[in-house]
Amino acid sequence: MQLEYLPLRKEKSLYTWIGVIIVGLTTLVTGYISEFDVLEAFRVIPGVLNFIFTDFLPPAVKAVPDFWGSLLDTVYMAIVSTVTGATISLILALLCATPTTPHPLFKVTIRAFASLLRNIPALAWTIILVPAFGIGKTVGLMALIIGSVGDMTRFFTESIEEIDLGGIEAMRAVGGSYWLMLKGGVLPQCVPALVSWTLYNLELNIRASTIIGMVGGGGIGFFILSTIKLFRYDHAAMAILAVAIVVLFVEFLSKNIRERIM
Amino acid sequence: MNTTGKISIISEKQRVLYTLLFIGTLVLYFFSLYQLKLEFKGGWENVLKALSFAKRMLLHMDLSDWKDVLTAAMESISIAVLATIISATLAFFVSFAAASNVSLRVVSNLCKAVAAVVRAVPTLIWTLIFVAYLGLGPFPGVLGLFFHSFAYLVKAFSQSIEEVKEGNIEALKATGASWVQTMAKGVYPPITTAVISWTALRFEFNLGMSSILGFVGAGGIGMELSNTMRIFDFEKAGFVVLIIFLMSFSVEMLFHKLKLNVDKCIVKDSSNS
């Protein structure tokens, strides 16, 4: 056994070294392009910590009424975009996934469409849509829905394609209709995965909707950006803290629901 | 069909749970929608406007600034790669301290709590804080991305370590192996795949992020997009959007080809991001 083991190990360590060298070179090249200075990074640590702890903390509790409305808007936007996105994605995914697609042509088109939507970040969608629709919640919501549809269509399609096809075949064999097949064969198998993906998307959307306001999409992002620009860091800190609490709460909720259904 | 002969596909408990979830979602949805008080000023006119802008972006794309745009794109990619490499390397070592099965309870809890707080603040807000302190440029962008990625990967990696079978660790300890030896031979090999997948997943995310960092002044292609859109230069913006799309799309295709099944890690663990 020893004899068989040793040569393999040598080969493996060669690969490891090649990997390390490639990663090292990439670090140097990308560091050069992005003007990243390691020494500078270490040098700024005390300053940054000092900046965060003295300028940002303690957060100004009196700022809460100023952003309370936009914080709620942020949460509402995340909920609405996730549910709307999930509904649209479910329809698209059923049309696109191999076991349920009515025609292969749908598959290619929807895949390409979803890929286009998700590979442009939601924040970029906001910037693109603002000139036509103006600044505000409507644009932010549209951008969030676009991103959600792009992500969830892909996830949903993959979940539907992973199901066991035996049951569906049996239903087809006894003459079950397309709807019956969906209701009795496809959905019961993949609903836990779909709900789980939707909750994951809600976590993503709550983050995205907090920053979407920075480019004119409504919500708390605008408050954070403008207070930082006005050097009212303690006000910004309170808003950031509120965002963190909301994010942690949503994560906690999502985790609990997921554990129950899986 | 005889209804009495029906076999329920899901259990009664699950049926109740799903019904509650469904009704709760609907109520929450319409309440939120009502509270948002959306306005559709302009209505169809805006849609037509959007279509005409889209036409200008796509059909009359202006490639004359390709040099600047591609340089900015390179900067974005570099920011994403660099932030991913640094955060993955550091997170790999720290995750051993954060995993409850191989570390002290106090240390593990402390690491996890700090990571959770850092993760709860979105990447772009971290970047904004760094920009406020360090000024404009790619440097605060790298730091902002690094900060969030690091916390994210510490959590992801330590979760993978915690899934390592207790037997592996115990067997090595029984032979008298030191802590470092146990980690290197008992814990590291089974988590390698997960570490690579998580890093790949995070890289995809970081690349998307690096293309929008420019909106808050942290360098990269986002700056080009917001500059061109600000002066309604849709012809040039179209090209920038195309490059942003291609950056993210090619990485997605590459990972798909390499079979780095990054999505799988997300559903497997019940909590993430």
Side-chain angles (χ1 to χ4, degrees):
Chain A
M1 286 316 258
Q2 274 294 357
L3 285 174
E4 277 171 44
Y5 183 61
L6 280 171
L8 183 74
R9 197 177 150 198
K10 256 187 194 150
E11 209 171 280
K12 238 181 149 179
S13 79
L14 181 70
Y15 282 129
T16 313
W17 281 114
I18 292 175
V20 168
I21 291 169
I22 290 175
V23 171
L25 283 177
T26 320
T27 314
L28 288 179
V29 173
T30 53
Y32 175 74
I33 295 174
S34 60
E35 300 157 23
F36 187 80
D37 187 346
V38 184
L39 293 176
E40 182 70 15
F42 278 107
R43 214 174 300 141
V44 298
I45 289 175
V48 168
L49 288 179
N50 188 37
F51 177 59
I52 290 175
F53 282 104
T54 56
D55 289 15
F56 277 84
L57 301 176
V61 184
K62 65 172 191 292
V64 173
D66 296 342
F67 66 73
W68 184 246
S70 46
L71 180 68
L72 286 180
D73 275 349
T74 303
V75 177
Y76 297 144
M77 266 159 55
I79 293 170
V80 172
S81 62
T82 307
V83 179
T84 314
T87 316
I88 299 172
S89 300
L90 181 62
I91 297 168
L92 289 181
L94 286 173
L95 289 174
C96 173
T98 319
T100 53
T101 182
H103 194 277
L105 201 62
F106 280 108
K107 239 176 115 165
V108 187
T109 341
I110 293 173
R111 253 172 221 277
F113 175 67
S115 162
L116 177 70
L117 297 191
R118 80 168 163 269
N119 280 314
I120 297 172
L123 225 64
W125 277 116
T126 317
I127 287 211
I128 295 168
L129 293 172
V130 158
F133 296 95
I135 284 172
K137 288 177 269 186
T138 317
V139 157
L141 199 60
M142 282 165 79
L144 287 176
I145 292 173
I146 289 174
S148 308
V149 169
D151 275 339
M152 276 193 277
T153 303
R154 172 193 183 187
F155 297 149
F156 284 7
T157 307
E158 277 169 12
S159 304
I160 296 174
E161 284 178 348
E162 268 172 21
I163 60 171
D164 177 24
L165 295 173
I168 296 166
E169 215 168 291
M171 281 190 188
R172 282 233 170 105
V174 297
S177 69
Y178 183 76
W179 294 115
L180 191 71
M181 184 186 85
L182 286 190
K183 207 179 120 222
V186 179
L187 290 179
Q189 281 191 60
C190 60
V191 160
L194 299 190
V195 175
S196 174
W197 278 123
T198 309
L199 288 166
Y200 171 66
N201 201 262
L202 179 69
E203 289 175 32
L204 289 184
N205 277 353
I206 203 105
R207 283 192 170 78
S209 69
T210 55
I211 55 175
I212 226 155
M214 293 182 188
V215 291
I220 200 168
F222 179 71
F223 181 86
I224 295 176
L225 184 71
S226 53
T227 43
I228 286 185
K229 278 194 173 157
L230 294 169
F231 308 111
R232 286 153 69 191
Y233 296 124
D234 49 343
H235 286 59
M238 193 63 222
I240 293 171
L241 187 70
V243 166
I245 291 170
V246 170
V247 168
L248 286 176
F249 178 69
V250 169
E251 254 177 31
F252 169 77
L253 212 65
S254 151
K255 195 181 166 191
N256 269 22
I257 299 176
R258 263 194 253 187
E259 272 167 7
R260 253 162 222 240
I261 56 163
M262 286 306 248
Chain B
M1 209 206 264
N2 190 358
T3 42
T4 51
K6 248 188 182 175
I7 300 167
S8 179
I9 302 170
I10 52 174
S11 70
E12 194 55 37
K13 205 180 136 199
Q14 265 186 322
R15 192 189 296 277
V16 173
L17 191 71
Y18 279 121
T19 316
L20 281 177
L21 204 62
F22 186 70
I23 294 171
T25 311
L26 271 188
V27 171
L28 207 59
Y29 178 71
F30 284 107
F31 176 74
S32 308
L33 202 57
Y34 170 73
Q35 288 288 323
L36 274 177
K37 298 184 179 67
L38 294 175
E39 290 168 34
F40 293 99
K41 272 189 218 139
W44 280 108
E45 229 166 82
N46 282 348
V47 177
L48 291 178
K49 225 190 317 178
L51 285 177
S52 82
F53 291 162
K55 202 178 123 200
R56 278 171 67 187
M57 284 173 95
L58 293 172
L59 300 179
H60 306 284
M61 202 178 276
D62 184 355
L63 307 182
S64 58
D65 276 351
W66 64 274
K67 233 175 179 169
D68 291 342
V69 175
L70 290 185
T71 313
M74 272 311 287
E75 195 175 276
S76 272
I77 296 170
S78 299
I79 292 173
V81 172
L82 192 63
T84 311
I85 291 177
I86 303 175
S87 57
T89 316
L90 289 180
F92 178 75
F93 292 109
V94 175
S95 63
F96 285 97
S100 59
N101 57 343
V102 297
S103 170
L104 297 173
R105 184 163 286 278
V106 189
V107 181
S108 153
N109 285 345
L110 187 73
C111 289
K112 276 185 182 161
V114 173
V117 172
V118 173
R119 259 171 348 108
V121 176
T123 315
L124 209 64
I125 295 182
W126 280 120
T127 313
L128 197 62
I129 295 175
F130 285 117
V131 169
Y133 181 68
L134 297 164
L136 305 179
F139 185 58
V142 176
L143 286 184
L145 262 189
F146 158 77
F147 224 63
H148 197 269
S149 308
F150 175 67
Y152 177 95
L153 290 176
V154 164
K155 189 186 179 214
F157 291 172
S158 64
Q159 239 168 25
S160 309
I161 294 175
E162 280 163 11
E163 277 166 23
V164 172
K165 287 196 192 78
E166 195 56 47
N168 283 13
I169 302 165
E170 218 167 295
L172 275 167
K173 270 189 191 157
T175 62
S178 69
W179 188 82
V180 175
Q181 283 169 331
T182 315
M183 293 307 114
K185 298 296 169 193
V187 177
Y188 169 64
I191 63 163
T192 322
T193 333
V195 165
I196 293 173
S197 297
W198 278 115
T199 311
L201 178 79
R202 189 62 207 191
F203 176 64
E204 263 196 82
F205 179 84
N206 279 354
L207 193 70
M209 231 36 215
S210 75
S211 61
I212 56 176
L213 287 177
F215 300 164
V216 295
I221 198 164
M223 203 97 97
E224 297 285 327
L225 183 61
S226 67
N227 286 346
T228 47
M229 285 311 265
R230 197 168 290 150
I231 52 168
F232 300 111
D233 194 345
F234 296 109
E235 288 79 4
K236 277 181 183 160
F239 181 57
V240 180
V241 172
L242 178 73
I243 296 295
I244 290 179
F245 170 75
L246 285 180
M247 270 162 58
S248 166
F249 180 71
S250 46
V251 168
E252 193 186 295
M253 286 318 262
L254 180 72
F255 285 174
H256 191 72
K257 279 264 155 15
L258 291 176
K259 297 232 183 320
L260 286 169
N261 262 342
V262 286
D263 314 332
K264 296 269 156 50
C265 349
I266 304 174
V267 232
K268 215 184 84 205
D269 296 302
S270 51
S271 165
N272 47 71
S273 90

